[in-house]
């Protein structure tokens, strides 16, 4: 896997911790930056582990509910249909839990890759630049979101968008590559609706940048 792809995912996982470490990032020396990012990554692992546990518990509870409904249901079509819907919802929760578990299992490999100088350097560059240019990034995004508000987006979608805009507007990454990489992150950490939104917003951001608006 390419260094920038790994670094991008590490930066995404660290971003939820950014507000706590923002001043540290702005003022830190290179060695301090590395330690700060390592601290944020450990916090990200802890958060992901907790989310995985919660997802598994929710899926288990929903499966139990749907099983109880099936056992207690009569031959009435409404009872059977209700149980069917509950089972479908339970299966969806199980899939989300499996996805979370898969992400958690991949964390050791991501952390190991953080020791690569090229990965660490780009992850830090992304985090520092996104911190420095937050106002400009959010202005671009707000102008590109149709019939919605940036602050109302799911945090993971907002973070993916901010990283992509950082790369396009401030780090010189080719627009097509940045958009494709953002969509790949959305496939892993968001959902179909988030993926479509991210794709549309980033394409409008690139149009803004080209027109100089």
């Amino acid at each position: 896997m390419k260094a920038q792809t790994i670094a991008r995912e590490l930066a995404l996982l660290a971003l939820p911790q950014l507000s706590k470490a923002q001043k540290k990032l702005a003022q830190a020396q290179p060695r301090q930056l590395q330690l700060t990012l390592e601290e944020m990554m450990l916090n990200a692992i802890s958060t992901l582990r907790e989310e995985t546990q919660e997802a598994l518990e929710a899926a288990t509870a929903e499966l139990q509910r749907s099983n109880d409904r099936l056992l207690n249901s009569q031959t009435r079509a409404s009872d059977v249909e209700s149980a069917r819907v509950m089972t479908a919802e339970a299966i969806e929760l199980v899939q989300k839990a499996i996805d979370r578990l898969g992400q958690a299992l991949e964390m050791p490999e991501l952390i190991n890759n953080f020791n690569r100088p090229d990965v660490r350097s780009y992850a830090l560059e992304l985090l520092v630049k996104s911190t420095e240019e937050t106002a400009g990034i959010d202005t671009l995004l707000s102008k590109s979101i149709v019939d919605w508000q940036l602050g109302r987006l799911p945090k993971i979608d907002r973070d993916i968008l901010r990283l992509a805009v950082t790369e396009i507007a401030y780090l010189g990454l080719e627009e097509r590559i940045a958009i494709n990489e953002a969509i790949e992150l959305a496939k892993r950490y968001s959902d179909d609706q988030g993926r479509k939104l991210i794709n549309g917003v980033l394409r409008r951001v690139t149009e803004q940048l080209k027109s100089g608006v």
Side-chain angles (χ1 to χ4, degrees), residues 7 34 37 113-125:
Q34 179 178 340
L37 184 55
N113 278 313
F114 176 67
N115 293 321
R116 290 172 49 182
D118 51 351
V119 170
R120 185 168 61 246
S121 175
Y122 195 68
L124 289 170
E125 186 176 11

Side-chain angles (χ1 to χ4, degrees), residues 2 11 27 49 52 59 69 89 140-141 146 164 169 174 177 199:
K2 293 182 179 179
Q27 300 169 359
R49 185 178 64 246
T52 301
R69 176 65 63 88
E89 292 173 349
L140 276 170
L141 287 171
V146 178
E174 185 181 338
I177 295 175
N199 183 39

Side-chain angles (χ1 to χ4, degrees), residues 30-49:
R31 176 57 182 166
Q32 291 174 311
L33 282 172
Q34 179 178 340
L35 293 174
T36 299
L37 184 55
E38 288 173 352
E39 178 185 349
M40 289 192 290
M41 288 305 306
L42 289 173
N43 288 335
I45 293 171
S46 178
T47 299
L48 188 57
R49 185 178 64 246

Side-chain angles (χ1 to χ4, degrees), residues 87-163:
T87 301
E89 292 173 349
I91 291 172
E92 184 177 352
L93 284 172
V94 170
Q95 184 59 58
K96 289 181 179 178
I98 291 171
D99 291 343
R100 283 292 188 186
L101 184 58
Q103 292 163 9
L105 291 173
E106 290 173 3
M107 287 302 296
E109 182 179 355
L110 279 174
I111 296 300
N112 184 57
N113 278 313
F114 176 67
N115 293 321
R116 290 172 49 182
D118 51 351
V119 170
R120 185 168 61 246
S121 175
Y122 195 68
L124 289 170
E125 186 176 11
L126 264 176
L127 287 169
V128 171
K129 184 57 67 174
S130 65
T131 301
E132 293 174 344
E133 305 295 345
T134 298
I137 291 167
D138 285 359
T139 296
L140 276 170
L141 287 171
S142 295
K143 290 180 179 179
S144 303
I145 296 174
V146 178
D147 299 327
W148 204 246
Q149 295 177 359
L150 181 62
R152 295 180 63 188
L153 293 181
K155 190 169 189 345
I156 191 66
D157 294 345
R158 194 162 64 243
D159 286 346
I160 292 172
L161 285 168
R162 283 172 171 163
L163 286 178

Side-chain angles (χ1 to χ4, degrees), residues 46-60:
S46 178
T47 299
L48 188 57
R49 185 178 64 246
E50 291 172 2
E51 290 177 350
T52 301
Q53 182 65 35
E54 290 173 1
L56 287 169
E57 289 175 356
T60 300

